[in-house]
């Protein structure tokens, strides 16, 4: 199945109060091959639409008449029926703190306004990667037997990361909320890979990496660091301290695949 055939099959819900923006985004989606687009103007309409016809992807702007995208994602994630809904933000918001909550909530992409067609296409393909399951091709491992420890203090982030790994055929996943819990698990259980957040209470990703690399029984385990500020200079130092790869939040399936293939082969 080609990507384009699959892209035409995807359904999108665009949450955008401005008619002008609606037209611009719709045109770009149609040019990317999207045929099925529904609309909502606010949080209330979105929730009602999700309960009757859940789309493959919700694309929302940041500011809505009855709240923000942060309020919307909270409602979606707190409702059992909609908690695994794929979500993407298109916004001219540049404030890091405003966007951090969405990153931690497992959004697939955050596109700036104005966005390029290439940006949008890439984000749409990232969604497709999550929906169309494709086992990762590893020479040395069967993904189904790969044992992964995901360490993140955000429940939503843990869920999103594990769901992304599931789409690659990786099913044996355990969780820790911080580095301290991770070390306790590592001392009692064998793992083939550690995926860890950078910012965590108790013991952060850098301290966890140091502890793993200094323990002869654990030092061989590859570590994938996930961070919402992956361009940070602080992180490039960490890369030299024993992290095998660094991946940004949102956690993009295509990038994760490449990193895992590189780390594990």
């Amino acid at each position: 199945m080609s990507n384009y055939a699959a892209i035409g099959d995807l359904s999108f819900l665009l949450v955008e109060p401005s008619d002008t923006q609606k037209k611009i985004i719709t045109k770009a989606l149609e040019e990317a091959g999207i045929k099925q687009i529904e609309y909502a103007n606010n949080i209330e309409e979105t929730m009602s639409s999700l309960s009757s016809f859940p789309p493959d992807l919700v694309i929302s702007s940041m500011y809505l008449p009855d709240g923000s995208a942060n309020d919307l994602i909270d409602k979606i994630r707190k409702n059992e029926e909609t908690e695994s809904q794929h979500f993407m933000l298109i916004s001219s918001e540049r404030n890091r703190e405003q966007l951090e909550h969405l990153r931690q909530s497992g959004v697939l992409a955050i596109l700036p306004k104005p966005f390029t067609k290439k940006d949008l296409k890439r984000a749409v393909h990232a969604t497709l990667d999550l929906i169309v399951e494709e086992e990762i091709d590893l020479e040395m491992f069967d993904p189904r037997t790969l044992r992964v420890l995901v360490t993140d203090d955000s429940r939503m982030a843990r869920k999103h990361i594990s769901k992304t790994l599931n789409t690659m055929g990786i099913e044996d996943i355990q969780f820790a909320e911080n580095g301290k819990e991770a070390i306790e698990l590592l001392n009692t259980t064998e793992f083939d890979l550690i995926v860890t957040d950078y910012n965590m209470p108790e013991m952060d990703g850098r301290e966890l990496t140091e502890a793993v690399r200094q323990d002869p029984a654990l030092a061989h385990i590859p570590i994938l660091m996930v961070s919402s500020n992956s361009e940070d200079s602080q992180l490039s130092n960490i890369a030299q301290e024993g992290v095998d790869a660094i991946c940004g939040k949102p956690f993009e399936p295509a990038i994760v695949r490449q990193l895992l293939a590189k780390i594990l082969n």
Side-chain angles (χ1 to χ4, degrees), residues 223-260:
I223 298 175
L224 170 59
M225 176 84 74
V226 184
S227 171
S228 51
N229 34 349
S230 55
E231 296 83 38
D232 209 317
S233 57
Q234 226 178 343
L235 284 175
S236 56
N237 301 338
I238 294 175
Q240 290 151 16
E241 287 169 24
V243 171
D244 296 86
I246 293 173
C247 176
K249 278 183 182 177
F251 194 62
E252 265 192 44
I255 291 174
V256 178
R257 267 173 214 279
Q258 288 165 3
L259 292 177
L260 289 183

Side-chain angles (χ1 to χ4, degrees), residues 67-186:
S68 70
N70 286 325
D71 302 319
L72 175 56
I73 194 87
D74 285 347
K75 277 207 151 139
I76 289 173
R77 295 289 184 245
K78 281 173 185 159
N79 178 334
E80 265 182 28
E81 287 173 19
T82 58
E83 64 177 4
S84 55
Q85 175 64 55
H86 298 310
F87 191 96
M88 180 170 124
L89 180 78
I90 297 184
S91 175
S92 47
E93 178 62 69
R94 293 288 182 276
N95 181 332
R96 258 243 164 72
E97 283 167 24
Q98 282 283 21
L99 299 173
E100 184 62 18
H101 182 74
L102 284 152
R103 285 202 169 95
Q104 298 293 353
S105 305
V107 297
L108 285 191
I110 295 177
L111 280 191
K113 272 183 190 170
F115 56 85
T116 65
K117 286 175 192 166
K118 196 175 152 200
D119 291 338
L120 183 73
K121 212 165 216 173
R122 181 178 165 193
V124 167
H125 280 274
T127 308
L128 197 64
D129 271 342
L130 272 183
I131 295 164
V132 181
E133 302 201 356
E134 184 190 324
E135 275 199 7
I136 187 165
D137 184 23
L138 301 172
E139 288 164 29
M140 324 259 283
F141 292 93
D142 172 352
R144 285 177 299 262
T145 62
L146 200 66
R147 299 159 300 184
V148 181
L149 174 59
V150 173
T151 309
D152 199 307
D153 56 320
S154 153
R155 187 184 74 88
M156 290 185 201
R158 290 196 300 271
K159 215 166 188 164
H160 178 65
I161 291 170
S162 77
K163 214 162 69 209
T164 304
L165 295 172
N166 290 159
T167 63
M168 300 171 197
I170 298 170
E171 286 153 21
D172 188 348
I173 303 170
Q174 292 199 44
F175 301 99
E177 286 187 27
N178 55 53
K180 198 161 155 268
E181 273 188 25
I183 291 291
E184 286 165 14
L185 267 169
L186 286 161

